[in-house]
Amino acid sequence: QVFLKQWILTQTTFRKEAVMKGLRLAVVFTCVVLALGIMGIKADVVQAEEVTLYWASFLPKNHPETKDVQKYYMDKVNERAKGQLVIKYRGGPEVIAPPNLGTAVKNGVVDIGTIFVGVYEAIVPGVGGLMLTELTPDEERQTGAIDYIVKLHQKHGLMFLGRAAPTKDNFFYFFLNKKVEKLEDFKKMKLGTATALRAAAKAWGASVTPLKLSQYYSAMERNLVDGVPGCPIPTWVAFGAHEVTKYVLDHQFYQSTAVAIMNSGKWNKLPDNLKKIMNDAMVEFQKEKMVIGTKGVAWARKKMMDSGVEFYKFPPKDAEWLVNTANDAAWAYQNKRFPEVTKELKKRLTK
């Protein structure tokens, strides 16, 4: 009996210790689960923390091109990112002068910029050749041109997001206050141009006066130049320059030089889902922008005609010479300065 009592007591004690040990293990397990859960929640919170990027434009906030980028690209990205990413507008040329915008993006003063390629070619050598494309943005993706352009930018601390103002037809128009009726007349012309059209103007035989975009109106108004080649017609009207224009030589050349670039460090830190949102939105924006651009050109042409501006054309052979000379001069100018990049771009951007 004594043995039996001792055995029962031992078993009871063993069961109690086993129960207590089980309880302790359960508590430890529960604590571990809770800790892991909290860590997971924290990780999710970190993942979902808002990323804020700032963008600037080379054109003013109220310019149609800037409005289109905001509405059809930036706002679309913000909506789809659902708070994980917010892109805010920093300002236009009153905040960062266009010649300084490329450097500002590279140095992180702003994260994204819409800019024309001529003013940041010192950062990305040879990028000026983008205006000579014969392809749509979709075709450029299919041929590998965009992959090459992205790598070209990444080598110099920038991410190429895409073309910011693609159009169905050629982009630049020729605005005049002195009518050119035959090719020989170019030799008597003084043309005001930004960077993109200087080589062409010289090849046509004209003398060249360098101008900034902001100087187009005053130069035409004060007759400092006979004409300005190298501006899209909606932008010309947005500047009010149709008020000081008599003629438009109605043959277009080149594609838009406007692009969207981003600081590569900021791009690299974005999670893949946000990169995909930005890339997908750019593809959609470019398709929408081509439709919008066509409507904008039609509106601007009507606006100018209603203001008394005369649109006229050269005979077919002279028109062909005008456009081909502009293309050949620009390729030659690019090739002289950046032979390796220009060779690769021409191979990928022409049909």
Side-chain angles (χ1 to χ4, degrees):
Q1 290 181 347
V2 173
F3 174 79
L4 181 60
K5 288 180 180 180
Q6 186 66 37
W7 181 82
I8 292 172
L9 180 62
T10 301
Q11 291 299 313
T12 302
T13 303
F14 177 79
R15 288 193 188 97
K16 287 181 179 179
E17 289 177 351
V19 169
M20 292 301 296
K21 185 176 181 181
L23 287 172
R24 286 195 295 269
L25 288 173
V27 170
V28 171
F29 179 77
T30 302
C31 290
V32 170
V33 170
L34 288 172
L36 289 174
I38 291 169
M39 289 173 64
I41 291 170
K42 287 183 177 179
D44 288 341
V45 170
V46 171
Q47 178 100 10
E49 278 184 358
E50 179 183 296
V51 177
T52 302
L53 301 177
Y54 293 92
W55 79 283
S57 57
F58 73 95
L59 291 168
K61 181 179 182 179
N62 62 351
H63 190 281
E65 296 293 340
T66 307
K67 288 181 177 180
D68 286 346
V69 173
Q70 180 66 60
K71 180 178 180 180
Y72 297 102
Y73 182 63
M74 302 300 179
D75 288 350
K76 189 174 290 185
V77 170
N78 287 342
E79 180 183 352
R80 294 178 181 178
K82 300 184 185 301
Q84 194 180 354
L85 169 64
V86 176
I87 305 176
K88 297 181 179 181
Y89 185 63
R90 177 73 81 188
E94 78 285 353
V95 175
I96 302 174
N100 302 328
L101 186 49
T103 302
V105 174
K106 180 174 181 177
N107 292 341
V109 177
V110 290
D111 304 305
I112 299 170
T114 53
I115 184 174
F116 52 100
V117 292
V119 297
Y120 75 99
E121 199 163 33
I123 301 173
V124 184
V127 73
L130 296 188
M131 72 176 182
L132 296 167
T133 186
E134 297 175 2
L135 309 176
T136 66
D138 278 348
E139 289 171 334
E140 289 178 343
R141 292 184 187 92
Q142 293 166 8
T143 63
I146 293 298
D147 290 338
Y148 177 78
I149 295 165
V150 167
K151 290 176 183 176
L152 185 64
H153 281 72
Q154 287 176 331
K155 288 198 303 188
H156 302 284
L158 293 170
M159 173 62 189
F160 180 79
L161 295 177
R163 295 184 181 273
T167 54
K168 179 181 177 182
D169 301 309
N170 283 336
F171 192 70
F172 292 114
Y173 279 70
F174 207 140
F175 306 96
L176 297 163
N177 276 337
K178 182 178 177 182
K179 199 169 187 178
V180 181
E181 297 186 286
K182 54 186 182 298
L183 300 182
E184 292 76 14
D185 291 345
F186 278 114
K187 296 177 182 178
K188 306 171 187 176
M189 301 290 289
K190 183 189 295 184
L191 300 179
T193 74
T195 307
L197 265 292
R198 287 175 193 166
K202 290 178 181 179
W204 292 328
S207 62
V208 175
T209 299
L211 293 177
K212 300 176 183 177
L213 289 173
S214 59
Q215 297 172 320
Y216 285 170
Y217 185 102
S218 61
M220 292 287 281
E221 181 184 37
R222 297 163 59 191
N223 291 316
L224 299 178
V225 296
D226 299 314
V228 174
C231 186
I233 193 169
T235 295
W236 193 258
V237 172
F239 286 153
H242 61 291
E243 299 169 353
V244 292
T245 303
K246 294 179 180 178
Y247 310 102
V248 173
L249 182 53
D250 199 8
H251 302 291
Q252 296 78 52
F253 34 85
Y254 302 162
Q255 262 293 337
S256 170
T257 62
V259 299
I261 58 175
M262 182 172 173
N263 177 277
S264 62
K266 288 293 182 70
W267 172 262
N268 292 336
K269 290 179 181 178
L270 290 178
D272 289 343
N273 70 307
L274 293 183
K275 291 178 181 178
K276 186 176 188 306
I277 286 173
M278 293 185 70
N279 284 333
D280 290 349
M282 177 57 69
V283 172
E284 293 177 25
F285 160 74
Q286 289 174 337
K287 291 177 180 178
E288 291 174 320
K289 181 60 180 169
M290 291 179 75
V291 175
I292 295 165
T294 300
K295 293 179 180 178
V297 167
W299 170 83
R301 288 176 71 96
K302 185 178 185 304
K303 180 83 171 177
M304 293 191 74
M305 289 177 182
D306 290 346
S307 299
V309 178
E310 178 187 340
F311 284 69
Y312 74 101
K313 291 183 179 291
F314 273 167
K317 286 186 178 180
D318 290 351
E320 183 180 3
W321 177 87
L322 181 78
V323 175
N324 288 345
T325 300
N327 288 332
D328 293 344
W331 278 123
Y333 178 65
Q334 290 299 112
N335 190 62
K336 182 178 180 180
R337 297 180 301 149
F338 315 108
E340 183 179 342
V341 173
T342 301
K343 178 182 177 181
E344 293 299 323
L345 285 178
K346 190 171 185 179
K347 181 170 63 176
R348 290 170 168 83
L349 297 178
T350 56
K351 295 180 180 179

